[in-house]
Amino acid sequence: MAVINLPSLHGGQLAIIKNATRWNHVCCGRRWGKTYMLARLTVESVLRGEYVGIFCPQYKFLTEIYREIYDILSPMKLESSKTEGVIRAPTKGRVDFWSLENEACGRGRKYHRVLIDEAAFAKNGTMTPIWERAIMPTLVDYKGDCFVFSTPNGISEDNWFYQIAQDPMWRKFTAPSSTNPFLPVDELKRIEEMTHPLVFRQEFLAEFISWSGEVFFGIDKLLVDGQPVADDFRIHGSIFACVDTAVKSGQDHDSTAIVYFGKQPGYLYEDRQARIFVLDWHLEQIDGNMLLDFVPSIMKRLDELAIRHNSPVGAKGIFIEDKVSGTVLLQNLAAQGAPAWPIDSKLTQMGKSERALASSPYIARDLVKLTDCAYSKTMNVKGSTRNHLLTQLASFRIGDKEGARRADDLVDSFCYGTIIGVGSTTGF
């Protein structure tokens, strides 16, 4: 007889199982171990010969849990298909894997247990009808139970995971990352110190956070003792620019935004972590087909900054969004052999809020600073004379429903440069 080794659970996970009811809402922090718990619940059901339905927002989320469950059950002779999303065991138990991208997921099936993973990241507005019309009916035949797992994703009346947290039908369990005894306490403390406070509360304390009205980029974090960095220092690394290209021109549309950065190598610092400095910025209202003519002025400014900061590496070049007018610009620059590169698609495909969140750890760790030039500069754009970089950073809000109407081109360029400059080579 095959020997199946069930995943070991820590006390926090076991307490939830012990106190579970039919409808269970598990709000957990990062690295709490929800995949292991989900696998344990699945395998226990399969060994009893039961049917389990696992639902995730996207197919890519299913890969890890599919492999985890398959590996645990592999001592048995299984019938399985990753393509079809099914594992059948000789106990007569079966696991079906469904993407919530399919609004008919689960229809026609019946389950003893339903497990929904990363529920907070299902597309807003779609989960309620999917739950009511497709998933919940699968539990009728066997009076099955349901566990819904996720890290929170803000407070939104359109978010199903948040909605059911307010519904008395569901038993609520909050599972902060710290309740996983296998996570080093000092490591969590380190993460807390280098992470935006609201991000830490959401991602690790498993709290529902309202981002509405919260200033995300505190200008003070970009200064040193309340002041910008003087411009009379040497940049030992490269000078580069990030460009957020405008789609259209005209008073009511975006501008092309350029932010200039200088990178200091990590070997200059005790913690061996590179730093970047915002050296300058510029906004230009320009048609997409005129961008190519504007590039020489960007390269000229990069050379000026390289000389000003005595950089031995010099001007590296320009990172440009590879979409809309930026794609055409990159193609033309490549043909000319100009030093221009597309910004990694992993970054450009993110939403504005996601990019801001991705850049926040570096700012929290004091790796990004403003120079006096970038801090003191003003220019007239669309009839308004001000420091547009500071204004846009100070007014940026995560998940702002009015964000599409707000000027934030420089914020995008700032986030791109932050992640490229002090993140990994892939932009993270």
Side-chain angles (χ1 to χ4, degrees):
M1 179 179 290
V3 176
I4 303 298
N5 294 313
L6 292 173
S8 298
L9 300 183
H10 58 69
Q13 296 164 324
L14 292 172
I16 291 176
I17 292 177
K18 180 180 179 181
N19 294 285
T21 60
R22 186 178 184 188
W23 314 105
N24 304 284
H25 177 280
V26 185
C27 189
C28 47
R30 302 287 289 275
R31 305 306 305 155
W32 175 77
K34 66 179 174 60
T35 300
Y36 283 102
M37 183 172 174
L38 196 150
R40 172 72 173 259
L41 290 168
T42 302
V43 172
E44 287 180 342
S45 288
V46 170
L47 294 179
R48 292 193 295 264
E50 296 176 349
Y51 302 153
V52 180
I54 297 178
F55 298 79
C56 291
Q58 299 174 18
Y59 282 106
K60 65 180 181 181
F61 288 114
L62 293 169
T63 303
E64 181 183 2
I65 187 60
Y66 180 96
R67 174 53 57 186
E68 188 74 28
I69 291 168
Y70 181 88
D71 287 347
I72 295 168
L73 293 173
S74 60
M76 295 192 293
K77 187 176 181 180
L78 302 174
E79 294 179 22
S80 64
S81 171
K82 190 174 182 180
T83 303
E84 296 178 9
V86 63
I87 296 175
R88 295 183 178 89
T91 61
K92 305 301 182 182
R94 186 184 74 233
V95 190
D96 295 328
F97 298 83
W98 298 95
S99 167
L100 294 169
E101 294 169 305
N102 175 6
E103 294 186 8
C105 55
R107 279 185 175 270
R109 300 298 174 87
K110 52 185 180 181
Y111 295 120
H112 296 85
R113 172 165 286 168
V114 159
L115 304 168
I116 303 177
D117 195 17
E118 300 291 4
F121 300 92
K123 187 176 180 180
N124 283 350
T126 64
M127 263 305 293
T128 297
I130 290 175
W131 167 251
E132 293 177 348
R133 301 170 192 172
I135 301 177
M136 189 166 64
T138 66
L139 293 167
V140 170
D141 292 75
Y142 301 119
K143 294 185 178 179
D145 62 12
C146 178
F147 288 79
V148 180
F149 298 88
S150 192
T151 301
N153 188 24
I155 292 176
S156 171
E157 297 301 328
D158 296 327
N159 188 289
W160 183 72
F161 188 66
Y162 175 72
Q163 288 174 2
I164 65 173
Q166 321 308 314
D167 188 336
M169 180 182 90
W170 296 83
R171 173 161 290 185
K172 270 71 73 178
F173 298 96
T174 301
S177 304
S178 58
T179 58
N180 179 351
F182 302 109
L183 292 182
V185 175
D186 58 341
E187 182 67 8
L188 283 175
K189 182 64 176 176
R190 184 185 69 84
I191 292 173
E192 182 177 9
E193 291 172 350
M194 60 182 254
T195 304
H196 190 289
L198 293 180
V199 174
F200 186 81
R201 286 174 58 192
Q202 175 174 279
E203 300 297 316
F204 293 92
L205 299 184
E207 296 180 14
F208 285 101
I209 297 298
S210 174
W211 300 94
S212 177
E214 292 285 349
V215 175
F216 190 75
F217 293 111
I219 302 301
D220 60 308
K221 287 297 294 181
L222 301 172
L223 305 176
V224 178
D225 296 327
Q227 298 296 321
V229 178
D231 293 303
D232 57 350
F233 67 101
R234 187 180 193 189
I235 296 289
H236 292 261
S238 59
I239 311 293
F240 67 95
C242 284
V243 177
D244 176 269
T245 54
V247 177
K248 301 177 182 178
S249 63
Q251 281 295 113
D252 298 323
H253 297 292
D254 291 349
S255 299
T256 290
I258 307 103
V259 178
Y260 299 87
F261 299 88
K263 181 172 182 175
Q264 293 287 42
Y267 65 75
L268 295 175
Y269 303 95
E270 190 174 330
D271 62 6
R272 313 299 291 177
Q273 176 64 60
R275 267 75 167 167
I276 59 167
F277 294 83
V278 180
L279 306 178
D280 197 3
W281 57 269
H282 187 78
L283 281 173
E284 190 74 20
Q285 231 177 325
I286 188 169
D287 283 315
N289 58 6
M290 298 294 292
L291 277 172
L292 190 61
D293 297 331
F294 189 67
V295 167
S297 67
I298 301 176
M299 293 304 305
K300 179 182 178 182
R301 183 56 178 152
L302 284 171
D303 289 335
E304 291 172 352
L305 290 168
I307 294 171
R308 180 176 188 173
H309 291 277
N310 194 23
S311 168
V313 178
K316 181 176 179 62
I318 311 169
F319 290 89
I320 301 171
E321 282 187 313
D322 189 8
K323 57 183 182 180
V324 196
S325 54
T327 301
V328 177
L329 178 60
L330 283 163
Q331 291 171 348
N332 280 279
L333 292 174
Q336 297 177 20
W341 299 272
I343 295 173
D344 194 293
S345 62
K346 293 178 181 178
L347 294 180
T348 59
Q349 289 171 9
M350 287 180 174
K352 294 178 183 293
S353 294
E354 290 175 292
R355 277 195 293 273
L357 288 167
S359 67
S360 66
Y362 309 115
I363 298 168
R365 289 155 59 189
D366 289 321
L367 303 182
V368 186
K369 297 297 176 184
L370 293 170
T371 63
D372 186 61
C373 175
Y375 182 81
S376 303
K377 179 176 183 175
T378 62
M379 67 179 296
N380 185 290
V381 179
K382 301 179 184 179
S384 175
T385 300
R386 64 180 68 174
N387 186 309
H388 293 275
L389 175 63
L390 298 187
T391 300
Q392 290 188 20
L393 288 173
S395 63
F396 184 82
R397 304 290 187 273
I398 294 290
D400 185 0
K401 293 183 179 180
E402 300 297 318
R405 304 178 184 179
R406 217 182 296 278
D408 55 12
D409 320 280
L410 286 166
V411 172
D412 273 341
S413 293
F414 171 82
C415 291
Y416 285 139
T418 295
I419 299 168
I420 291 169
V422 289
S424 73
T425 55
T426 57
F428 293 91

